[in-house]
Amino acid sequence: MIEFLRSIPTAIWSVALGSLITFLGVLISNSNNRKRLEIQLNHDAEVKKIERKASIRREVYLSATEELVKANNYLGSLAQIDPTKTNIADGLQGFFISAAKLGLVAEQETGKALNDLMLAYSALFFRLLVKVSLISDSKTEINIINFHYEESQAEIKRILAAMTSQNESGSPDQVVFEALNKSFEFHSNRSKELTDERDQHWKKVNELTSKFAIEVAQEMKAIALLQLPVMVGIRKELDIETDIESYKQQALSSSEKVSKQLDGFISEMENQA
């Protein structure tokens, strides 16, 4: 066998060795290409995963931010809502739904800040609900008074028409005219009583609404501080602001300015009360 191998010409060995080296080179190249392809595919998959997560977060976070503004406005307008015609809790459903979605995709720190904010909104809503109930009760009394006042005014118009008819008949019945006159005086006095009673209820409504506005303004100062870590977390996770500490300082500065404005508003409302 050794003699046989020695008898093979060197040129043939060179070709065989070259082919072997080429084959090994192809194997190594293919192996490296496969590894690079796997790395590239894994990288692309990770990038798409990050982009998909960022897209979901962006949509959810922007929606939550919008609903947060709506919730603030809604709490301030509670005193104007008639709970007999509207489910008063519906106005916060959009915020709580968006907050629930945000909680699913947010980081743990942002989620905790959001949970604290939701609890604060819930507690504030129930506290304000008591105030709104008092205002609503007074408005209900006003509606009842209006109904009786309109009835009384209708009677006055009817009596005046009857008295006019008596006068224009040429031979008015004194007994009938006196009876009509007594009815006129009764309903006139009744209308005056109802008007005075209604004015008292409107005065109460205005006082309660003023106190409600003051309380909302005071509560919003505390809510604003709870909103700050949520907004910071959202901006951080969306990579909107790289200098988070600077943003915190700006937000705190803005919050202090708003707080001073609210203090001025509260002071002015209390002076008018």
Side-chain angles (χ1 to χ4, degrees):
M1 178 62 69
I2 293 174
E3 289 298 326
F4 173 74
L5 292 175
R6 286 177 178 175
S7 66
I8 298 175
T10 303
I12 296 176
W13 274 113
S14 297
V15 172
L17 184 60
S19 298
L20 178 61
I21 292 173
T22 300
F23 177 70
L24 291 176
V26 170
L27 288 178
I28 293 172
S29 178
N30 288 341
S31 176
N32 288 335
N33 287 337
R34 187 180 69 253
K35 288 180 180 178
R36 283 197 299 270
L37 181 60
E38 289 178 352
I39 292 172
Q40 184 64 41
L41 290 174
N42 289 335
H43 177 266
D44 291 345
E46 185 64 25
V47 169
K48 288 182 179 179
K49 180 180 178 181
I50 293 173
E51 289 177 348
R52 185 167 59 252
K53 183 178 181 180
S55 177
I56 293 173
R57 277 184 168 176
R58 184 162 52 250
E59 180 181 350
V60 172
Y61 287 3
L62 292 178
S63 175
T65 303
E66 180 181 352
E67 291 297 335
L68 184 61
V69 175
K70 290 181 180 179
N72 290 342
N73 293 336
Y74 179 72
L75 289 176
S77 66
L78 281 177
Q80 309 303 322
I81 296 174
D82 186 352
T84 63
K85 299 179 180 179
T86 305
N87 185 349
I88 202 168
D90 286 347
L92 290 177
Q93 290 306 306
F95 168 69
F96 286 120
I97 291 173
S98 292
K101 292 179 181 179
L102 193 153
L104 291 176
V105 297
E107 299 295 338
Q108 185 174 358
E109 184 178 354
T110 305
K112 182 181 181 303
L114 177 65
N115 187 59
D116 292 340
L117 181 60
M118 289 177 64
L119 291 175
Y121 267 110
S122 297
L124 174 57
F125 174 74
F126 287 117
R127 288 198 299 274
L128 295 179
L129 199 58
V130 176
K131 309 293 183 181
V132 172
S133 178
L134 295 175
I135 296 173
S136 177
D137 289 344
S138 291
K139 287 183 176 180
T140 299
E141 291 293 333
I142 290 172
N143 290 334
I144 294 173
I145 292 171
N146 284 336
F147 175 78
H148 292 298
Y149 177 81
E150 290 173 1
E151 281 189 333
S152 184
Q153 287 297 303
E155 282 297 304
I156 289 174
K157 289 180 180 179
R158 182 188 65 79
I159 294 167
L160 288 174
M163 293 174 73
T164 300
S165 178
Q166 281 285 319
N167 286 328
E168 292 177 348
S169 67
S171 56
D173 188 325
Q174 190 65 29
V175 175
V176 173
F177 195 87
E178 285 295 330
L180 289 172
N181 190 54
K182 288 181 180 179
S183 294
F184 175 79
E185 291 180 357
F186 170 79
H187 287 290
S188 294
N189 292 333
R190 179 59 177 156
S191 292
K192 178 65 169 59
E193 291 173 359
L194 291 170
T195 299
D196 292 341
E197 187 177 354
R198 183 175 56 187
D199 289 344
Q200 289 300 314
H201 280 290
W202 270 121
K203 182 179 179 181
K204 184 178 180 181
V205 167
N206 293 333
E207 290 176 353
L208 291 173
T209 302
S210 176
K211 291 179 180 179
F212 177 86
I214 292 172
E215 183 165 348
V216 170
Q218 291 172 334
E219 293 285 358
M220 282 297 105
K221 293 168 62 178
I223 289 291
L225 294 178
L226 292 175
Q227 290 175 353
L228 178 58
V230 176
M231 300 306 294
V232 168
I234 288 176
R235 295 181 68 90
K236 182 178 180 181
E237 292 173 28
L238 291 179
D239 293 327
I240 295 176
E241 178 65 59
T242 53
D243 191 352
I244 298 298
E245 289 303 320
S246 175
Y247 174 75
K248 286 181 179 179
Q249 292 301 321
Q250 292 176 7
L252 285 172
S253 176
S254 297
S255 179
E256 289 176 358
K257 291 179 181 178
V258 172
S259 178
K260 289 180 180 179
Q261 292 175 351
L262 289 174
D263 287 339
F265 167 77
I266 292 169
S267 177
E268 185 175 348
M269 291 292 291
E270 287 177 338
N271 291 334
Q272 293 178 1

